[in-house]
Amino acid sequence: MKFKLLNYITLTSILIILGLIFWYDLNWGFIFVPGIIWVLIVSIVSSNIQWNFFLKSISKGNPEVNKIALTFDDGPHPEFTPKVLELLEKYNAQATFFCIGRNVEKYPEILVKIYENQHIIGNHSFTHSHKIDFNNKSKWLDEINSTDDKIQNIIGQKPQFFRPPFGVTTPHLAKAIDETKHKVIGWNIRSFDTISNQNPDKIVKRILSKTKPGSIILLHDHLPGIFTILEQLLPELQERNFTFVTVDELINYESV
């Protein structure tokens, strides 16, 4: 609805400018202004999943309950994901792992470990390609359904949740999700742990300063620094009496 309204306003603006050009001999360069504004708006809203511009997503839970959700993207990883699982078990923390289909295909035994530790597994596309945001609906369906099939073949359950690569949403993705019926999960705390020159202490400090009841925290389990981050983060959050839960519990979602 929001996207249709934006398109309507843009088209109307172009028609008005065309009229002004013919009636008042305005410079033809003005005809490009609505299009430029459209591109800028779409670029901004696509990159902010919390704004729910193209599709509905959930980026936080109940702010009145002292529960938070740790979420890990881009795994499973053969070396780092098992270490993450060990730390989560040490602190009795449940989490949600948004897995890439091709990694699931390579490391099915790691996916089984995640599942056996009673964490939730979500869909994070099959390729996580840097060009994935240009996919049409058909290609998005291939990405999502292929990953669902891989995960279901390994653990016997189809993922209920989906997180877009890079957190970017598009009209074509929205159409695909409307068909697959996944719940789209965003976040309200981004750790920026993928930035190579980030100091783990700064990452932990940033997360701690923003964490509130109902927070969904974005982390990545394919990075070598994740173990150091969690070693500091988990005990500190635990001392603040936060309970680590899976996304479905945080948002009170019942699987069907």
Side-chain angles (χ1 to χ4, degrees), residues 151-170:
I151 292 173
Q152 187 168 24
N153 288 339
I154 295 169
I155 65 171
Q157 287 187 4
K158 176 183 174 181
Q160 301 284 329
F161 302 105
F162 175 79
R163 174 174 282 166
F166 316 108
V168 174
T169 59
T170 68

Side-chain angles (χ1 to χ4, degrees), residues 134-164:
F134 297 100
N135 279 1
N136 58 25
K137 175 188 172 183
S138 177
K139 289 183 178 179
W140 269 119
L141 286 173
D142 287 343
E143 289 273 351
I144 296 169
N145 290 331
S146 295
T147 303
D148 274 356
D149 290 344
K150 292 293 181 185
I151 292 173
Q152 187 168 24
N153 288 339
I154 295 169
I155 65 171
Q157 287 187 4
K158 176 183 174 181
Q160 301 284 329
F161 302 105
F162 175 79
R163 174 174 282 166

Side-chain angles (χ1 to χ4, degrees), residues 85 91 99 105 110 116 129-130 142 167 177-179 208 214 221 235-236:
L85 293 174
Y91 290 97
C99 298
E105 192 174 49
I110 307 298
E116 288 179 343
S129 165
H130 288 285
D142 287 343
I177 291 297
D178 189 54
E179 188 168 317
L208 291 174
D221 59 316
E236 184 62 38

Side-chain angles (χ1 to χ4, degrees), residues 17 28 59 62 69 71 87 155 161 169 180 205 222 230-231 235:
I17 291 173
W28 275 93
S59 298
N62 188 345
T71 64
L87 272 179
I155 65 171
F161 302 105
T169 59
T180 65
K205 185 177 180 180
H222 72 299
L230 290 178
E231 278 187 315

Side-chain angles (χ1 to χ4, degrees), residues 70-72 94-99 111 114-115 117-123 155 157 159-161 245-249 253 255:
L70 301 174
T71 64
F72 297 91
Q94 297 304 120
T96 305
F97 290 78
F98 289 95
C99 298
L111 190 79
I114 296 172
Y115 178 70
N117 279 269
Q118 299 183 327
H119 302 293
I120 290 292
I121 295 169
N123 187 321
I155 65 171
Q157 287 187 4
Q160 301 284 329
F161 302 105
V245 299
T246 52
V247 161
D248 59 336
E249 181 175 343
Y253 178 76
S255 299

Side-chain angles (χ1 to χ4, degrees), residues 8 47 50 84 116 119 123 153 159 184 193 201 245 247 252:
Y8 174 79
S47 303
Q50 301 90 344
V84 169
E116 288 179 343
H119 302 293
N123 187 321
N153 288 339
V184 178
D193 56 349
D201 293 340
V245 299
V247 161
N252 295 318

Side-chain angles (χ1 to χ4, degrees), residues 42-142:
V42 169
S43 298
I44 293 170
V45 298
S46 295
S47 303
N48 288 274
I49 191 172
Q50 301 90 344
W51 292 1
N52 294 332
F53 191 84
F54 294 116
L55 51 75
K56 182 180 179 181
S57 66
I58 301 172
S59 298
K60 60 183 178 180
N62 188 345
E64 297 180 359
V65 180
N66 220 33
K67 296 179 179 180
I68 58 175
L70 301 174
T71 64
F72 297 91
D73 286 10
D74 297 357
H77 188 279
E79 180 180 355
F80 305 129
T81 302
K83 292 181 179 180
V84 169
L85 293 174
E86 289 176 9
L87 272 179
L88 292 175
E89 184 176 10
K90 178 180 177 180
Y91 290 97
N92 194 30
Q94 297 304 120
T96 305
F97 290 78
F98 289 95
C99 298
I100 298 174
R102 63 183 180 185
N103 290 343
V104 168
E105 192 174 49
K106 290 179 182 177
Y107 313 112
E109 71 283 359
I110 307 298
L111 190 79
V112 171
K113 286 184 180 180
I114 296 172
Y115 178 70
E116 288 179 343
N117 279 269
Q118 299 183 327
H119 302 293
I120 290 292
I121 295 169
N123 187 321
H124 197 42
S125 82
F126 191 83
T127 64
H128 203 293
S129 165
H130 288 285
K131 299 178 181 179
I132 200 168
D133 299 325
F134 297 100
N135 279 1
N136 58 25
K137 175 188 172 183
S138 177
K139 289 183 178 179
W140 269 119
L141 286 173
D142 287 343

